[in-house]
Amino acid sequence: MSLLLEEVSIEIKSSEKEDPSRKQLIRNMTLEIGSGKTATVMGPSGSGKSTLLSVICGTQDSAFHVTGSISLNGRLLDGLAPEKRRIGILFQDDLLFPHLTVGENLEFALPKKYRKQERQSIVEQALKAIELEAYMNADSARISGGQRARVSLMRTLLAEPEALVLDEPFSKLDQDLRSRFRTFVFEHARQRNLPVLLVTHDLADAEAAGGPVIYLMYS
């Protein structure tokens, strides 16, 4: 598996009535992330980090002009709908569905190809993997922050992505939990041979991830 960005440039479109120029956020970025490897993008707020992830996922706002190409395992992603890209994403917030139990949150992510009995078994195995076997029917709004983070990651992985992008998912965790969850995320990504792109402000996150670090600056 590999995630390949080739000559990717991102600009903010300006209104022609105001200013026909464009503000360039990212210029000609070329990056290949191999199976089980992680690359990190760092930079100040407004430098284009999260926008880059939205471009990879296919969710960028129409205010951005994008050139270059993005492919995953040799499959060109340009123009594909987000749900067809097979990109998993983790945000700062876990975004669990509060009206669903922990088990129901996990089952929600499973592809439709699995039958009911298979789905139950997969969810049980997933809960065991994140050491939450007793939480199948627990209220997802009432478990701890660390538990929610683990459930959120596993829900993302159960959707069977071919790559993982991380939009500062560790930033709201306390220092001890942050370190342990970082290790947890990177280990699970390596076990599944997923290429990972991490966006962060924290050098410790980049050091934990290993791999190349790309620094973005204001243009």
Side-chain angles (χ1 to χ4, degrees):
M1 293 185 180
S2 67
L3 178 64
L4 176 62
L5 284 67
E6 294 184 282
E7 299 292 316
V8 172
S9 295
I10 303 174
E11 299 174 332
I12 301 175
K13 298 176 184 178
S14 299
S15 169
E16 293 187 5
K17 293 181 179 180
E18 299 173 359
D19 183 352
S21 65
R22 288 171 169 160
K23 178 184 177 183
Q24 192 154 47
L25 295 177
I26 293 174
R27 177 179 298 175
N28 298 331
M29 176 182 287
T30 295
L31 173 66
E32 183 169 13
I33 309 172
S35 175
K37 304 297 182 181
T38 300
T40 301
V41 174
M42 299 187 70
S45 297
S47 59
K49 303 186 303 302
S50 293
T51 301
L52 174 64
L53 297 191
S54 70
V55 168
I56 294 171
C57 293
T59 58
Q60 77 272 13
D61 190 276
S62 60
F64 296 99
H65 175 72
V66 182
T67 58
S69 66
I70 300 171
S71 57
L72 179 58
N73 303 327
R75 180 171 57 95
L76 195 64
L77 301 185
D78 304 354
L80 285 182
E83 65 274 13
K84 293 183 178 181
R85 296 195 175 206
R86 305 292 298 276
I87 302 285
I89 185 166
L90 280 181
F91 296 99
Q92 293 179 25
D93 298 313
D94 53 69
L95 303 181
L96 297 183
F97 299 116
H99 63 289
L100 299 181
T101 66
V102 169
E104 289 168 342
N105 264 282
L106 293 178
E107 185 179 355
F108 182 86
L110 288 173
K112 294 181 179 179
K113 64 182 180 181
Y114 294 110
R115 297 179 179 178
K116 184 176 181 180
Q117 190 171 2
E118 289 178 301
R119 298 172 80 84
Q120 177 76 11
S121 176
I122 292 170
V123 170
E124 289 174 353
Q125 293 173 25
L127 286 170
K128 184 176 181 179
I130 58 177
E131 301 180 353
L132 292 175
E133 300 99 312
Y135 289 79
M136 172 73 79
N137 297 312
D139 185 341
S140 60
R142 293 181 177 273
I143 59 177
S144 72
Q147 291 168 336
R148 290 173 64 86
R150 280 182 279 164
V151 173
S152 181
L153 171 66
M154 187 53 66
R155 186 178 65 176
T156 299
L157 295 177
L158 287 181
E160 300 181 356
E162 294 180 3
L164 188 63
V165 296
L166 309 175
D167 194 355
E168 303 197 59
F170 316 121
S171 63
K172 291 188 176 181
L173 303 176
D174 63 52
Q175 196 63 38
D176 179 58
L177 181 56
R178 182 174 187 146
S179 176
R180 288 187 284 117
F181 186 56
R182 272 196 310 241
T183 300
F184 183 82
V185 170
F186 296 137
E187 284 183 352
H188 277 264
R190 281 192 293 268
Q191 289 170 7
R192 289 164 173 76
N193 294 315
L194 298 176
V196 179
L197 182 59
L198 167 69
V199 155
T200 183
H201 283 94
D202 193 327
L203 185 58
D205 289 348
E207 291 173 345
V213 180
I214 298 95
Y215 294 91
L216 302 182
M217 303 298 292
Y218 288 118
S219 54

Short mmCIF file of all heavy atoms in Angstrom, two decimals, residues 149-202:
data_model
loop_
_atom_site.label_atom_id
_atom_site.label_comp_id
_atom_site.label_asym_id
_atom_site.label_seq_id
_atom_site.Cartn_x
_atom_site.Cartn_y
_atom_site.Cartn_z
N ALA A 149 -11.36 7.79 22.69
CA ALA A 149 -10.33 7.89 21.66
C ALA A 149 -10.05 6.52 21.03
O ALA A 149 -9.91 6.39 19.81
CB ALA A 149 -9.05 8.47 22.26
N ARG A 150 -9.98 5.49 21.87
CA ARG A 150 -9.72 4.14 21.36
C ARG A 150 -10.88 3.65 20.50
O ARG A 150 -10.67 3.04 19.44
CB ARG A 150 -9.48 3.18 22.52
CG ARG A 150 -8.08 3.25 23.10
CD ARG A 150 -7.89 2.24 24.20
NE ARG A 150 -8.44 2.71 25.46
CZ ARG A 150 -8.69 1.91 26.50
NH1 ARG A 150 -8.48 0.61 26.42
NH2 ARG A 150 -9.18 2.41 27.62
N VAL A 151 -12.11 3.92 20.94
CA VAL A 151 -13.28 3.51 20.16
C VAL A 151 -13.30 4.24 18.82
O VAL A 151 -13.60 3.65 17.77
CB VAL A 151 -14.58 3.77 20.94
CG1 VAL A 151 -15.81 3.49 20.06
CG2 VAL A 151 -14.63 2.91 22.20
N SER A 152 -12.95 5.51 18.83
CA SER A 152 -12.95 6.30 17.60
C SER A 152 -11.95 5.75 16.60
O SER A 152 -12.25 5.63 15.40
CB SER A 152 -12.62 7.77 17.93
OG SER A 152 -12.63 8.55 16.76
N LEU A 153 -10.74 5.41 17.07
CA LEU A 153 -9.74 4.82 16.18
C LEU A 153 -10.24 3.50 15.62
O LEU A 153 -10.17 3.26 14.40
CB LEU A 153 -8.42 4.61 16.91
CG LEU A 153 -7.39 3.81 16.10
CD1 LEU A 153 -6.94 4.58 14.87
CD2 LEU A 153 -6.19 3.42 16.96
N MET A 154 -10.75 2.63 16.49
CA MET A 154 -11.20 1.33 16.01
C MET A 154 -12.35 1.46 15.04
O MET A 154 -12.45 0.71 14.06
CB MET A 154 -11.59 0.45 17.21
CG MET A 154 -11.90 -0.99 16.81
SD MET A 154 -10.59 -1.80 15.84
CE MET A 154 -9.26 -1.87 17.05
N ARG A 155 -13.25 2.41 15.27
CA ARG A 155 -14.35 2.62 14.32
C ARG A 155 -13.80 3.00 12.95
O ARG A 155 -14.29 2.53 11.92
CB ARG A 155 -15.30 3.72 14.84
CG ARG A 155 -16.55 3.88 13.97
CD ARG A 155 -17.50 4.92 14.52
NE ARG A 155 -16.92 6.25 14.51
CZ ARG A 155 -17.58 7.35 14.86
NH1 ARG A 155 -18.83 7.25 15.28
NH2 ARG A 155 -17.00 8.52 14.83
N THR A 156 -12.79 3.84 12.94
CA THR A 156 -12.16 4.23 11.67
C THR A 156 -11.53 3.03 10.98
O THR A 156 -11.67 2.85 9.77
CB THR A 156 -11.08 5.31 11.93
OG1 THR A 156 -11.69 6.46 12.50
CG2 THR A 156 -10.39 5.70 10.64
N LEU A 157 -10.85 2.18 11.74
CA LEU A 157 -10.19 1.02 11.15
C LEU A 157 -11.18 -0.03 10.66
O LEU A 157 -10.93 -0.71 9.66
CB LEU A 157 -9.23 0.40 12.17
CG LEU A 157 -8.05 1.27 12.61
CD1 LEU A 157 -7.23 0.56 13.68
CD2 LEU A 157 -7.17 1.63 11.42
N LEU A 158 -12.32 -0.15 11.34
CA LEU A 158 -13.31 -1.14 10.93
C LEU A 158 -13.94 -0.80 9.58
O LEU A 158 -14.51 -1.67 8.93
CB LEU A 158 -14.41 -1.27 12.00
CG LEU A 158 -14.02 -2.00 13.28
CD1 LEU A 158 -15.20 -2.07 14.24
CD2 LEU A 158 -13.48 -3.39 13.00
N ALA A 159 -13.84 0.43 9.17
CA ALA A 159 -14.34 0.83 7.85
C ALA A 159 -13.42 0.34 6.73
O ALA A 159 -13.71 0.55 5.56
CB ALA A 159 -14.51 2.34 7.78
N GLU A 160 -12.31 -0.31 7.11
CA GLU A 160 -11.35 -0.90 6.19
C GLU A 160 -10.73 0.12 5.24
O GLU A 160 -10.75 -0.04 4.02
CB GLU A 160 -12.00 -2.06 5.41
CG GLU A 160 -12.50 -3.16 6.32
CD GLU A 160 -13.13 -4.34 5.58
OE1 GLU A 160 -13.24 -4.27 4.34
OE2 GLU A 160 -13.50 -5.32 6.25
N PRO A 161 -10.15 1.19 5.80
CA PRO A 161 -9.47 2.17 4.95
C PRO A 161 -8.17 1.59 4.39
O PRO A 161 -7.62 0.62 4.91
CB PRO A 161 -9.18 3.32 5.93
CG PRO A 161 -8.98 2.62 7.24
CD PRO A 161 -9.99 1.50 7.23
N GLU A 162 -7.69 2.20 3.32
CA GLU A 162 -6.42 1.80 2.74
C GLU A 162 -5.31 2.79 3.12
O GLU A 162 -4.13 2.55 2.83
CB GLU A 162 -6.54 1.71 1.22
CG GLU A 162 -7.48 0.60 0.78
CD GLU A 162 -7.61 0.48 -0.73
OE1 GLU A 162 -6.92 1.24 -1.45
OE2 GLU A 162 -8.41 -0.35 -1.19
N ALA A 163 -5.69 3.88 3.77
CA ALA A 163 -4.72 4.86 4.29
C ALA A 163 -5.39 5.59 5.44
O ALA A 163 -6.62 5.61 5.55
CB ALA A 163 -4.28 5.84 3.21
N LEU A 164 -4.57 6.20 6.29
CA LEU A 164 -5.09 6.89 7.47
C LEU A 164 -4.49 8.29 7.53
O LEU A 164 -3.27 8.46 7.36
CB LEU A 164 -4.70 6.11 8.72
CG LEU A 164 -5.29 6.53 10.07
CD1 LEU A 164 -6.80 6.37 10.06
CD2 LEU A 164 -4.68 5.68 11.19
N VAL A 165 -5.35 9.30 7.73
CA VAL A 165 -4.86 10.66 7.93
C VAL A 165 -5.30 11.13 9.31
O VAL A 165 -6.41 10.84 9.76
CB VAL A 165 -5.34 11.64 6.83
CG1 VAL A 165 -4.76 11.24 5.48
CG2 VAL A 165 -6.85 11.70 6.75
N LEU A 166 -4.41 11.83 9.99
CA LEU A 166 -4.61 12.21 11.39
C LEU A 166 -4.55 13.72 11.52
O LEU A 166 -3.49 14.33 11.32
CB LEU A 166 -3.53 11.57 12.27
CG LEU A 166 -3.30 10.07 12.10
CD1 LEU A 166 -2.12 9.61 12.95
CD2 LEU A 166 -4.55 9.29 12.47
N ASP A 167 -5.69 14.33 11.85
CA ASP A 167 -5.77 15.78 11.98
C ASP A 167 -5.68 16.17 13.45
O ASP A 167 -6.68 16.40 14.11
CB ASP A 167 -7.06 16.30 11.36
CG ASP A 167 -7.05 17.81 11.16
OD1 ASP A 167 -6.07 18.46 11.58
OD2 ASP A 167 -8.02 18.34 10.59
N GLU A 168 -4.46 16.17 13.99
CA GLU A 168 -4.16 16.51 15.38
C GLU A 168 -5.06 15.76 16.37
O GLU A 168 -5.64 16.37 17.28
CB GLU A 168 -4.29 18.02 15.59
CG GLU A 168 -3.38 18.81 14.67
CD GLU A 168 -3.16 20.24 15.12
OE1 GLU A 168 -2.67 20.43 16.25
OE2 GLU A 168 -3.50 21.14 14.35
N PRO A 169 -5.17 14.43 16.25
CA PRO A 169 -6.08 13.69 17.12
C PRO A 169 -5.61 13.57 18.56
O PRO A 169 -6.37 13.15 19.42
CB PRO A 169 -6.14 12.31 16.46
CG PRO A 169 -4.80 12.17 15.82
CD PRO A 169 -4.46 13.55 15.32
N PHE A 170 -4.35 13.95 18.83
CA PHE A 170 -3.81 13.82 20.18
C PHE A 170 -3.85 15.12 20.97
O PHE A 170 -3.56 15.15 22.16
CB PHE A 170 -2.35 13.34 20.12
CG PHE A 170 -2.11 12.24 19.14
CD1 PHE A 170 -1.19 12.41 18.10
CD2 PHE A 170 -2.79 11.04 19.22
CE1 PHE A 170 -0.95 11.40 17.19
CE2 PHE A 170 -2.57 10.02 18.31
CZ PHE A 170 -1.65 10.20 17.29
N SER A 171 -4.22 16.22 20.33
CA SER A 171 -4.01 17.55 20.90
C SER A 171 -4.84 17.84 22.15
O SER A 171 -4.44 18.66 22.98
CB SER A 171 -4.28 18.63 19.85
OG SER A 171 -5.63 18.59 19.43
N LYS A 172 -6.00 17.18 22.32
CA LYS A 172 -6.86 17.48 23.46
C LYS A 172 -6.66 16.51 24.63
O LYS A 172 -7.36 16.60 25.63
CB LYS A 172 -8.33 17.47 23.03
CG LYS A 172 -8.68 18.64 22.11
CD LYS A 172 -10.17 18.72 21.87
CE LYS A 172 -10.54 19.95 21.04
NZ LYS A 172 -12.00 20.05 20.82
N LEU A 173 -5.71 15.59 24.48
CA LEU A 173 -5.46 14.60 25.53
C LEU A 173 -4.38 15.10 26.48
O LEU A 173 -3.47 15.84 26.08
CB LEU A 173 -5.02 13.27 24.90
CG LEU A 173 -5.99 12.66 23.88
CD1 LEU A 173 -5.38 11.41 23.28
CD2 LEU A 173 -7.33 12.35 24.52
N ASP A 174 -4.46 14.70 27.75
CA ASP A 174 -3.41 15.10 28.69
C ASP A 174 -2.12 14.37 28.32
O ASP A 174 -2.10 13.43 27.54
CB ASP A 174 -3.82 14.81 30.13
CG ASP A 174 -4.04 13.34 30.42
OD1 ASP A 174 -3.15 12.52 30.13
OD2 ASP A 174 -5.12 12.99 30.94
N GLN A 175 -1.01 14.81 28.89
CA GLN A 175 0.30 14.39 28.44
C GLN A 175 0.50 12.88 28.49
O GLN A 175 0.99 12.27 27.53
CB GLN A 175 1.40 15.09 29.27
CG GLN A 175 2.79 15.03 28.65
CD GLN A 175 2.84 15.76 27.31
OE1 GLN A 175 2.22 16.82 27.13
NE2 GLN A 175 3.56 15.19 26.35
N ASP A 176 0.13 12.26 29.60
CA ASP A 176 0.32 10.81 29.74
C ASP A 176 -0.55 10.04 28.76
O ASP A 176 -0.07 9.13 28.06
CB ASP A 176 0.02 10.37 31.17
CG ASP A 176 0.19 8.87 31.35
OD1 ASP A 176 1.29 8.37 31.09
OD2 ASP A 176 -0.79 8.21 31.74
N LEU A 177 -1.82 10.42 28.67
CA LEU A 177 -2.74 9.75 27.76
C LEU A 177 -2.34 9.99 26.32
O LEU A 177 -2.43 9.09 25.47
CB LEU A 177 -4.17 10.24 28.01
CG LEU A 177 -5.26 9.61 27.14
CD1 LEU A 177 -5.26 8.10 27.27
CD2 LEU A 177 -6.62 10.18 27.52
N ARG A 178 -1.85 11.17 26.04
CA ARG A 178 -1.42 11.52 24.68
C ARG A 178 -0.32 10.58 24.21
O ARG A 178 -0.35 10.05 23.10
CB ARG A 178 -0.93 12.96 24.67
CG ARG A 178 -0.50 13.47 23.30
CD ARG A 178 -0.18 14.95 23.37
NE ARG A 178 0.07 15.51 22.06
CZ ARG A 178 -0.25 16.73 21.69
NH1 ARG A 178 -0.88 17.52 22.54
NH2 ARG A 178 0.02 17.17 20.48
N SER A 179 0.67 10.36 25.07
CA SER A 179 1.78 9.49 24.72
C SER A 179 1.31 8.06 24.46
O SER A 179 1.69 7.43 23.47
CB SER A 179 2.82 9.51 25.83
OG SER A 179 3.86 8.62 25.56
N ARG A 180 0.44 7.55 25.34
CA ARG A 180 -0.03 6.18 25.19
C ARG A 180 -0.92 6.01 23.96
O ARG A 180 -0.84 5.00 23.26
CB ARG A 180 -0.77 5.75 26.46
CG ARG A 180 0.16 5.51 27.64
CD ARG A 180 -0.55 4.93 28.84
NE ARG A 180 -1.34 5.94 29.55
CZ ARG A 180 -2.66 5.90 29.68
NH1 ARG A 180 -3.35 4.91 29.15
NH2 ARG A 180 -3.30 6.85 30.35
N PHE A 181 -1.77 7.01 23.68
CA PHE A 181 -2.67 6.89 22.54
C PHE A 181 -1.90 7.02 21.22
O PHE A 181 -2.22 6.35 20.24
CB PHE A 181 -3.78 7.93 22.62
CG PHE A 181 -4.83 7.77 21.55
CD1 PHE A 181 -5.51 6.57 21.40
CD2 PHE A 181 -5.15 8.81 20.70
CE1 PHE A 181 -6.47 6.40 20.42
CE2 PHE A 181 -6.11 8.66 19.71
CZ PHE A 181 -6.77 7.46 19.57
N ARG A 182 -0.88 7.86 21.21
CA ARG A 182 -0.02 7.94 20.01
C ARG A 182 0.54 6.57 19.66
O ARG A 182 0.48 6.12 18.52
CB ARG A 182 1.15 8.90 20.25
CG ARG A 182 0.89 10.34 19.94
CD ARG A 182 2.18 11.12 19.84
NE ARG A 182 3.06 10.92 20.97
CZ ARG A 182 3.48 11.88 21.80
NH1 ARG A 182 3.06 13.12 21.63
NH2 ARG A 182 4.31 11.62 22.78
N THR A 183 1.12 5.93 20.67
CA THR A 183 1.69 4.60 20.46
C THR A 183 0.63 3.63 19.97
O THR A 183 0.87 2.84 19.03
CB THR A 183 2.32 4.08 21.77
OG1 THR A 183 3.34 4.97 22.19
CG2 THR A 183 2.90 2.69 21.59
N PHE A 184 -0.54 3.69 20.56
CA PHE A 184 -1.66 2.82 20.21
C PHE A 184 -2.05 3.01 18.74
O PHE A 184 -2.21 2.04 17.98
CB PHE A 184 -2.83 3.15 21.13
CG PHE A 184 -4.05 2.29 20.94
CD1 PHE A 184 -4.13 1.04 21.52
CD2 PHE A 184 -5.13 2.75 20.19
CE1 PHE A 184 -5.26 0.25 21.35
CE2 PHE A 184 -6.25 1.96 20.02
CZ PHE A 184 -6.32 0.71 20.60
N VAL A 185 -2.16 4.25 18.30
CA VAL A 185 -2.56 4.55 16.92
C VAL A 185 -1.52 4.05 15.92
O VAL A 185 -1.84 3.35 14.95
CB VAL A 185 -2.79 6.06 16.74
CG1 VAL A 185 -2.95 6.40 15.25
CG2 VAL A 185 -4.01 6.52 17.50
N PHE A 186 -0.26 4.39 16.16
CA PHE A 186 0.78 4.02 15.20
C PHE A 186 0.99 2.51 15.13
O PHE A 186 1.24 1.95 14.05
CB PHE A 186 2.09 4.73 15.54
CG PHE A 186 2.01 6.23 15.41
CD1 PHE A 186 2.58 7.06 16.37
CD2 PHE A 186 1.35 6.82 14.35
CE1 PHE A 186 2.50 8.44 16.26
CE2 PHE A 186 1.25 8.20 14.23
CZ PHE A 186 1.83 9.01 15.19
N GLU A 187 0.86 1.83 16.26
CA GLU A 187 0.99 0.36 16.26
C GLU A 187 -0.13 -0.28 15.46
O GLU A 187 0.12 -1.20 14.66
CB GLU A 187 0.97 -0.17 17.69
CG GLU A 187 2.29 0.05 18.44
CD GLU A 187 2.27 -0.55 19.83
OE1 GLU A 187 1.18 -1.00 20.28
OE2 GLU A 187 3.33 -0.57 20.48
N HIS A 188 -1.37 0.18 15.64
CA HIS A 188 -2.49 -0.40 14.90
C HIS A 188 -2.37 -0.10 13.41
O HIS A 188 -2.73 -0.95 12.58
CB HIS A 188 -3.82 0.12 15.46
CG HIS A 188 -4.28 -0.64 16.66
ND1 HIS A 188 -5.18 -1.67 16.59
CD2 HIS A 188 -3.95 -0.53 17.97
CE1 HIS A 188 -5.39 -2.17 17.79
NE2 HIS A 188 -4.66 -1.49 18.65
N ALA A 189 -1.89 1.08 13.05
CA ALA A 189 -1.70 1.41 11.63
C ALA A 189 -0.63 0.51 11.00
O ALA A 189 -0.79 0.03 9.88
CB ALA A 189 -1.32 2.87 11.49
N ARG A 190 0.46 0.28 11.73
CA ARG A 190 1.52 -0.58 11.22
C ARG A 190 1.05 -2.02 11.07
O ARG A 190 1.38 -2.69 10.09
CB ARG A 190 2.75 -0.52 12.13
CG ARG A 190 3.61 0.72 11.93
CD ARG A 190 4.94 0.59 12.63
NE ARG A 190 4.80 0.57 14.08
CZ ARG A 190 4.86 1.65 14.85
NH1 ARG A 190 5.06 2.84 14.30
NH2 ARG A 190 4.74 1.55 16.16
N GLN A 191 0.27 -2.49 12.02
CA GLN A 191 -0.26 -3.86 11.95
C GLN A 191 -1.10 -4.06 10.70
O GLN A 191 -1.14 -5.15 10.13
CB GLN A 191 -1.09 -4.17 13.19
CG GLN A 191 -0.29 -4.34 14.46
CD GLN A 191 -1.18 -4.41 15.70
OE1 GLN A 191 -2.41 -4.45 15.62
NE2 GLN A 191 -0.56 -4.38 16.87
N ARG A 192 -1.75 -3.01 10.25
CA ARG A 192 -2.61 -3.09 9.06
C ARG A 192 -1.91 -2.59 7.80
O ARG A 192 -2.53 -2.49 6.74
CB ARG A 192 -3.90 -2.28 9.31
CG ARG A 192 -4.82 -2.95 10.32
CD ARG A 192 -5.87 -2.00 10.85
NE ARG A 192 -6.84 -2.68 11.70
CZ ARG A 192 -6.61 -3.06 12.95
NH1 ARG A 192 -5.44 -2.79 13.52
NH2 ARG A 192 -7.54 -3.69 13.64
N ASN A 193 -0.62 -2.28 7.92
CA ASN A 193 0.18 -1.82 6.78
C ASN A 193 -0.39 -0.57 6.11
O ASN A 193 -0.32 -0.41 4.88
CB ASN A 193 0.33 -2.94 5.74
CG ASN A 193 1.12 -4.11 6.27
OD1 ASN A 193 2.17 -3.92 6.90
ND2 ASN A 193 0.65 -5.31 6.05
N LEU A 194 -0.96 0.32 6.91
CA LEU A 194 -1.57 1.53 6.36
C LEU A 194 -0.55 2.66 6.24
O LEU A 194 0.18 2.93 7.19
CB LEU A 194 -2.71 2.01 7.26
CG LEU A 194 -3.90 1.07 7.45
CD1 LEU A 194 -4.88 1.67 8.44
CD2 LEU A 194 -4.58 0.79 6.12
N PRO A 195 -0.49 3.34 5.11
CA PRO A 195 0.26 4.59 5.06
C PRO A 195 -0.47 5.65 5.87
O PRO A 195 -1.71 5.73 5.81
CB PRO A 195 0.28 4.93 3.56
CG PRO A 195 -0.85 4.18 2.96
CD PRO A 195 -1.10 2.98 3.81
N VAL A 196 0.27 6.44 6.64
CA VAL A 196 -0.33 7.40 7.55
C VAL A 196 0.25 8.79 7.31
O VAL A 196 1.47 8.95 7.20
CB VAL A 196 -0.09 7.00 9.03
CG1 VAL A 196 -0.71 8.04 9.97
CG2 VAL A 196 -0.66 5.63 9.32
N LEU A 197 -0.63 9.79 7.23
CA LEU A 197 -0.19 11.18 7.17
C LEU A 197 -0.73 11.91 8.39
O LEU A 197 -1.94 11.97 8.61
CB LEU A 197 -0.70 11.86 5.90
CG LEU A 197 -0.25 13.32 5.70
CD1 LEU A 197 1.27 13.42 5.66
CD2 LEU A 197 -0.85 13.91 4.42
N LEU A 198 0.19 12.43 9.20
CA LEU A 198 -0.16 13.11 10.45
C LEU A 198 0.03 14.61 10.31
O LEU A 198 1.05 15.08 9.81
CB LEU A 198 0.75 12.58 11.57
CG LEU A 198 0.78 13.38 12.89
CD1 LEU A 198 -0.55 13.27 13.62
CD2 LEU A 198 1.93 12.90 13.78
N VAL A 199 -0.95 15.36 10.77
CA VAL A 199 -0.85 16.81 10.88
C VAL A 199 -0.78 17.17 12.36
O VAL A 199 -1.59 16.69 13.15
CB VAL A 199 -2.07 17.49 10.22
CG1 VAL A 199 -2.31 18.88 10.81
CG2 VAL A 199 -1.87 17.61 8.72
N THR A 200 0.19 18.00 12.74
CA THR A 200 0.34 18.33 14.16
C THR A 200 1.11 19.64 14.33
O THR A 200 1.83 20.09 13.43
CB THR A 200 1.09 17.20 14.91
OG1 THR A 200 1.16 17.51 16.30
CG2 THR A 200 2.49 17.01 14.37
N HIS A 201 0.94 20.24 15.53
CA HIS A 201 1.76 21.37 15.94
C HIS A 201 2.90 20.91 16.85
O HIS A 201 3.81 21.68 17.14
CB HIS A 201 0.92 22.38 16.75
CG HIS A 201 0.02 23.24 15.91
ND1 HIS A 201 -1.30 22.91 15.66
CD2 HIS A 201 0.23 24.41 15.27
CE1 HIS A 201 -1.86 23.85 14.91
NE2 HIS A 201 -0.95 24.78 14.66
N ASP A 202 2.80 19.67 17.31
CA ASP A 202 3.66 19.19 18.39
C ASP A 202 4.81 18.35 17.84
O ASP A 202 4.59 17.30 17.24
CB ASP A 202 2.81 18.36 19.36
CG ASP A 202 3.53 18.08 20.66
OD1 ASP A 202 4.76 17.93 20.64
OD2 ASP A 202 2.86 17.98 21.71
#
